[in-house]
């Protein structure tokens, strides 16, 4: 994978973190709760966890193909095959740690983001071994169900990472609003 052209890995001193890693070890399960994943993407092939699901309203199945591209875009920096040969695509920030992507598709072009589907996806992620949950989205309405699922993740020692600032708004949206002392907020 192409490491040198990726300025972000230099900016965060990824090499310093990689030098601290003791080796691949057991895979870390990272849940990406978003629009799905391009399963055949060469940087992500073979990294999708078998418990990956589409959880949209009453839909619950294994149809996780990304129709939007956002979920695939997020999955690259998290888990891309950094040492693939020949070098194609991008390097992930997590190399040399092995990551399995628990992909939870909770919206698509026909079904907008909603707190109930997000909350169910969070609970599924925790129940299926996720150690980290990525939530790079927001829902506009407060939801006790969503808050309870985030607190459940925290109780189960799962790191919850949410995005803020994706749409250049000054208001903090959910789930980011719920993360005071509950996880990590990343601005974009």
């Amino acid at each position: 994978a192409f490491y040198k052209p990726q300025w972000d890995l230099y900016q965060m001193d990824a090499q310093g973190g990689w030098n601290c890693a003791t080796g691949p070890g057991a895979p870390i399960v990272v849940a990406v709760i978003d629009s799905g994943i391009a399963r055949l993407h060469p940087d992500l092939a073979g990294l999708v966890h078998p418990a990956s699901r589409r959880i949209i309203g009453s839909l619950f199945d294994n149809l996780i193909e990304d129709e939007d591209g956002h979920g695939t875009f997020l999955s690259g920096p998290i888990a891309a095959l950094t040492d693939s040969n020949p070098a194609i695509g991008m390097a992930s920030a997590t190399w040399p740690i092995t990551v399995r992507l628990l992909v939870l598709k909770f919206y698509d072009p026909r079904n907008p983001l909603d707190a109930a589907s997000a909350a169910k996806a969070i609970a599924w992620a925790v129940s299926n071994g996720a150690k980290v949950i990525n939530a790079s989205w927001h829902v506009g309405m407060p939801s006790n169900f969503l808050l309870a699922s985030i607190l459940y993740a925290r109780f189960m020692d799962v790191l919850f990472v949410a995005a803020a600032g994706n749409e250049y708004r000054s208001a903090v949206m959910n789930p980011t609003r719920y993360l005071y002392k509950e996880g990590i907020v990343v601005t974009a």
Side-chain angles (χ1 to χ4, degrees):
F2 294 109
Y3 167 65
K4 291 190 177 191
Q6 290 181 239
W7 65 268
D8 55 325
L9 296 176
Y10 290 100
Q11 187 69 28
M12 70 172 87
D13 189 22
Q15 186 69 51
W18 296 341
N19 291 341
C20 295
T22 58
I28 302 293
V29 178
V30 177
V32 178
I33 300 175
D34 209 89
S35 62
I37 193 168
R39 288 185 194 235
L40 299 179
H41 190 290
D43 278 343
L44 304 170
L47 299 176
V48 177
H49 192 284
S52 296
R53 295 288 183 273
R54 175 174 66 161
I55 303 172
I56 301 175
S58 62
L59 296 173
F60 184 83
D61 56 35
N62 63 358
L63 301 176
I64 60 169
E65 194 62 31
D66 196 348
E67 300 170 73
D68 175 270
H70 193 254
T72 302
F73 177 78
L74 294 171
S75 297
I78 295 170
L81 296 170
T82 301
D83 61 347
S84 59
N85 192 8
I88 57 170
M90 67 179 303
S92 70
T94 56
W95 182 87
I97 298 167
T98 304
V99 172
R100 293 296 303 250
L101 294 166
L102 179 55
V103 178
L104 299 169
K105 180 176 180 172
F106 85 109
Y107 74 92
D108 62 26
R110 294 160 304 285
N111 298 283
L113 292 78
D114 71 277
S117 295
K120 289 188 279 186
I122 293 166
W124 181 261
V126 174
S127 298
N128 284 277
K131 295 300 178 193
V132 179
I133 294 175
N134 176 277
S136 294
W137 42 264
H138 71 266
V139 292
M141 301 298 294
S143 166
N144 289 334
F145 189 28
L146 180 58
L147 175 58
S149 67
I150 292 169
L151 293 174
Y152 170 61
R154 177 179 179 228
F155 178 77
M156 299 301 290
D157 292 324
V158 176
L159 177 62
F160 195 92
V161 181
N166 282 349
E167 296 183 4
Y168 307 104
R169 296 181 182 181
S170 59
V172 178
M173 307 293 281
N174 299 316
T176 307
R177 179 180 308 192
Y178 297 141
L179 291 182
Y180 178 72
K181 297 183 182 178
E182 308 303 334
I184 295 175
V185 176
V186 179
T187 60

